[in-house]
Amino acid sequence: RDIHGGLPMSTPPLANAELALMELLWVHGSLTARQIQDELYGESDRSQHGTVQRLLQRLEEKEMVKREKTGAANAFSACISREEYAGGQLETLAERLTGGSIAPLLSHLIDQKRLSRTELRRLRELLDGRKP
């Protein structure tokens, strides 16, 4: 993590399958590999066991997931929140496209009416509350 408490600038992007697995952990909090497999591929498809194990291993190596022993099985949970991951990816995108400035990205979202009134109100509150 950086000095501001956010993700390191080098937070890797996630492949679609990794992101789908992370979404499950963000929603459920903690799941066993079997539960993840059942959620991703259905209870009847046991052939995906190796795929789930590889996904979990890659996510552990990226320090996105942690494992805890719970009886006979391991439970997996996310090491970062959805918001932390999204923020890190947004910063990476801003760095690549706009020299690190988030303003052009926000301007585009506002101009294209992609932000709801609630989101705009929250953004205004954040800006008003920011210290100079």
Side-chain angles (χ1 to χ4, degrees):
R1 294 186 183 263
D2 69 14
I3 59 171
H4 304 292
L7 289 175
M9 289 301 287
S10 62
T11 300
L14 297 176
N16 288 342
E18 293 171 332
L19 188 55
L21 193 153
M22 290 298 294
E23 287 287 343
L24 288 175
L25 296 178
W26 287 326
V27 168
H28 297 285
S30 179
L31 294 170
T32 65
R34 170 67 59 91
Q35 291 169 321
I36 292 167
Q37 180 178 323
D38 291 348
E39 288 285 334
L40 288 177
Y41 301 106
E43 291 183 32
S44 62
D45 192 353
R46 297 288 177 227
S47 65
Q48 297 298 330
H49 177 75
T51 301
V52 169
Q53 291 300 325
R54 283 188 297 280
L55 287 171
L56 287 166
Q57 183 177 358
R58 286 197 325 238
L59 288 167
E60 282 183 288
E61 289 168 0
K62 293 178 181 183
E63 298 181 353
M64 305 287 274
V65 165
K66 64 182 173 187
R67 147 189 336 238
E68 295 179 41
K69 191 76 169 160
T70 58
N74 289 313
F76 296 87
S77 57
C79 292
I80 66 167
S81 69
R82 177 186 285 125
E83 292 76 17
E84 288 174 317
Y85 176 73
Q89 292 305 297
L90 184 57
E91 286 180 28
T92 299
L93 181 64
E95 192 61 44
R96 288 179 47 215
L97 298 179
T98 60
S101 175
I102 301 286
L105 300 174
L106 288 175
S107 295
H108 174 76
L109 292 173
I110 292 167
D111 290 344
Q112 298 301 312
K113 298 182 179 25
R114 303 251 174 155
L115 295 175
S116 69
R117 289 188 187 277
T118 302
E119 291 167 325
L120 285 170
R121 187 172 31 258
R122 176 70 181 130
L123 186 56
R124 191 171 291 116
E125 288 169 1
L126 288 170
L127 291 172
D128 289 345
R130 186 173 181 186
K131 304 254 189 262

